[in-house]
Amino acid sequence: MLSRKVADQLRNYRTPFYLYDIDLLRQTLQSAVSVAERYQYVIHYAIKANYDPRILQVIQEYGLGIDCASGNEVRCAIEAGFDPQTIVYAGVGKRDHEIRYAIEQGIFAINCESIEELEVINAFAAEAGKVVTVALRINPDIDPKTNHCIDTGQADSKFGISYEEVLGSAERIQALQNVRIRGMHLHIGSQIRELHVFEYLCNKVNVIVENLVKLGFELDFVDVGGGLGINYDFPENEPVPNFASVFSIINSHLRVGERQVHFEFGRAIVAQCGELITGVLFNKMTATGRKLVIVDASMTELIRPMLYGAYHNIENITSTSDRHERYTIVGTACESTDVFDENINLPETRRGDLLTIKSAGAYGSSMASRYNQHDLPPSVYSDQL
Ligand SMILES: Cc1ncc(COP(=O)(O)O)c(C=O)c1O
């Protein structure tokens, strides 16, 4: 919870803005890196979660690689100083110029999501006179037990190549001269809180890797994606996600021999260090008796509640009232779905109060838009207050 003193300092900035706790980011990275080292695991940070330059700079200090979802993300990572050899790039619809750029930059691996894409990568690599390292992103058909809007590894999903198709296309794949299949990749979804899901994932990966090796694929690494969830309900109880548990499960269940194991965490690294600070503009009551608090943020700064029905804990950081009321928190955008939360219990809330929308460091500012010609939200860092 933000102290009264910090809340007063925040009044010096025009709302809405993202506030990043750099100490918490460092603690999170330290925890992830120290446990990963124990097992010699490699972590790529999923840059789609947040590409704020200061955040990237801190992440770089801890030696993480980068996981990208577009050519511009690859460019952003390289411009931020990440070594191309630490970059992986997945994406179900890579455009031609993005594939050519990734080949040109010599990134660690392109995570390929269809056989047709593999053939295109092969053709572009041949034109460039290169042999490109590829991981096959396989759809393992696993239910990650999360919000269905953010699951990616069920059989009918657009992501990854079906395992059966890979088995049936082995010879066709192996005939390609300008791609080298060195890895197997999967990512089954995000905000995974039931950690036993990672156990199923390992059991599937063990079988897939064994069969791919039998078919003659020489795999040196297995990338099990990201997905580790965070505590949105009570962020103060769990500011740093439980990396030790997930790595321990993976270590006990994954049977991939000496192959290097890679992860692509986004949310778990940055979600808890960021919050969206917004000012209260107006109060009003609907004809049906709903008390609305209209804040100066909207879905243009943080779209997760409107896009996925995602929950963020909201607190009034300036009210000193002992009286509590039930409020619905709505934004400024010209959309009926522009609601952050409904019927929540807050101390009496008035024009000029500041609210914090917590756990917003991941998929917050990176999904911001300029709809209604709103300005993009600026960043304020805890160590600069
Ligand atoms: C391929 C891939 N890897 C990693 C991630 C990061 O997931 P998370 O933020 O849940 O760790 C995503 C998220 O969409 C993804 O699509």
Side-chain angles (χ1 to χ4, degrees):
M1 188 183 162
L2 291 175
S3 69
R4 186 79 216 178
K5 188 167 155 241
V6 172
D8 285 342
Q9 282 170 311
L10 296 180
R11 289 216 178 269
N12 297 326
Y13 299 88
R14 188 163 103 180
T15 51
F17 59 86
Y18 275 93
L19 174 66
Y20 293 113
D21 181 340
I22 298 295
D23 285 343
L24 180 56
L25 175 61
R26 287 187 187 284
Q27 278 172 41
T28 308
L29 287 161
Q30 186 56 46
S31 164
V33 165
S34 61
V35 197
E37 267 171 15
R38 210 179 292 158
Y39 305 109
Q40 295 182 320
Y41 290 160
V42 178
I43 306 178
H44 304 265
Y45 165 62
I47 196 169
K48 61 179 83 71
N50 191 315
Y51 55 88
D52 179 278
R54 180 83 203 285
I55 302 261
L56 292 183
Q57 183 207 325
V58 176
I59 289 174
Q60 204 181 356
E61 286 171 29
Y62 287 79
L64 275 66
I66 293 284
D67 161 51
C68 299
S70 72
N72 282 350
E73 286 190 354
V74 174
R75 190 184 309 279
C76 172
I78 291 173
E79 285 176 2
F82 288 87
D83 178 351
Q85 268 300 301
T86 68
I87 295 177
V88 293
Y89 171 22
V92 69
K94 301 180 189 78
R95 300 167 182 106
D96 289 7
H97 69 91
E98 295 176 306
I99 295 175
R100 289 186 202 279
Y101 177 69
I103 292 173
E104 197 185 289
Q105 294 301 317
I107 64 171
F108 176 72
I110 301 182
N111 295 341
C112 178
E113 307 219 13
S114 68
I115 304 292
E116 191 169 20
E117 181 194 331
L118 193 59
E119 289 172 338
V120 170
I121 296 171
N122 184 63
F124 291 174
E127 279 170 32
K130 292 194 173 186
V131 176
V132 171
T133 299
V134 166
L136 296 177
R137 177 171 181 178
I138 294 182
N139 179 316
D141 192 17
I142 296 177
D143 177 358
K145 314 257 183 243
T146 183
N147 180 335
H148 78 278
C149 299
I150 49 175
D151 67 35
T152 55
Q154 303 214 53
D156 198 35
S157 158
K158 72 172 180 176
F159 296 101
I161 316 175
S162 91
Y163 177 43
E164 289 68 28
E165 192 181 1
V166 172
L167 296 183
S169 316
E171 280 183 26
R172 192 170 144 202
I173 296 173
Q174 284 157 358
L176 301 171
Q177 297 292 306
N178 292 79
V179 287
R180 193 169 155 230
I181 314 292
R182 284 185 51 204
M184 187 234 135
H185 170 236
L186 48 77
H187 170 76
I188 58 170
S190 202
Q191 184 53 13
I192 299 169
R193 291 288 283 168
E194 294 189 31
L195 292 190
H196 60 86
V197 164
F198 289 105
E199 217 175 292
Y200 306 149
L201 180 147
C202 290
N203 297 340
K204 285 261 178 160
V205 171
N206 295 344
V207 174
I208 295 172
V209 169
E210 193 187 329
N211 286 334
L212 290 181
V213 169
K214 275 192 201 147
L215 283 171
F217 289 99
E218 288 175 22
L219 305 180
D220 335 309
F221 69 92
V222 171
D223 181 338
V224 295
L228 178 61
I230 61 131
N231 191 338
Y232 281 99
D233 295 325
F234 304 105
E236 285 83 5
N237 293 354
E238 213 182 318
V240 177
N242 199 341
F243 293 103
S245 293
V246 77
F247 287 151
S248 155
I249 291 173
I250 300 279
N251 182 54
S252 323
H253 294 88
L254 201 63
R255 300 273 167 270
V256 293
E258 295 302 301
R259 292 180 183 86
Q260 219 177 32
V261 179
H262 293 235
F263 292 82
E264 301 169 345
F265 295 127
R267 189 186 310 276
I269 304 285
V270 290
Q272 296 293 33
C273 77
E275 48 200 308
L276 178 62
I277 307 294
T278 180
V280 175
L281 293 175
F282 307 111
N283 282 269
K284 74 174 174 187
M285 190 162 339
T286 65
T288 54
R290 267 203 313 163
K291 284 194 170 157
L292 303 184
V293 167
I294 301 157
V295 294
D296 58 10
S298 74
M299 60 195 284
T300 61
E301 287 79 27
L302 178 65
I303 199 175
R304 298 187 67 257
M306 304 80 185
L307 188 62
Y308 310 136
Y311 171 77
H312 287 264
N313 190 311
I314 300 177
E315 206 179 292
N316 184 326
I317 52 175
T318 51
S319 172
T320 49
S321 171
D322 292 333
R323 242 166 46 105
H324 279 65
E325 301 254 14
R326 295 248 154 215
Y327 296 107
T328 290
I329 313 296
V330 303
T332 54
C334 192
E335 293 293 331
S336 300
T337 56
D338 188 32
V339 177
F340 285 108
D341 205 353
E342 294 187 77
N343 205 24
I344 61 167
N345 189 27
L346 290 182
E348 191 179 13
T349 294
R350 297 197 173 157
R351 175 173 168 80
D353 282 350
L354 293 183
L355 305 191
T356 171
I357 306 181
K358 299 184 206 174
S359 315
Y363 309 107
S365 63
S366 62
M367 285 192 176
S369 78
R370 295 220 47 215
Y371 178 56
N372 290 166
Q373 301 204 28
H374 286 179
D375 294 329
L376 290 174
S379 304
V380 173
Y381 309 100
S382 56
D383 55 358
Q384 293 172 349
L385 283 177

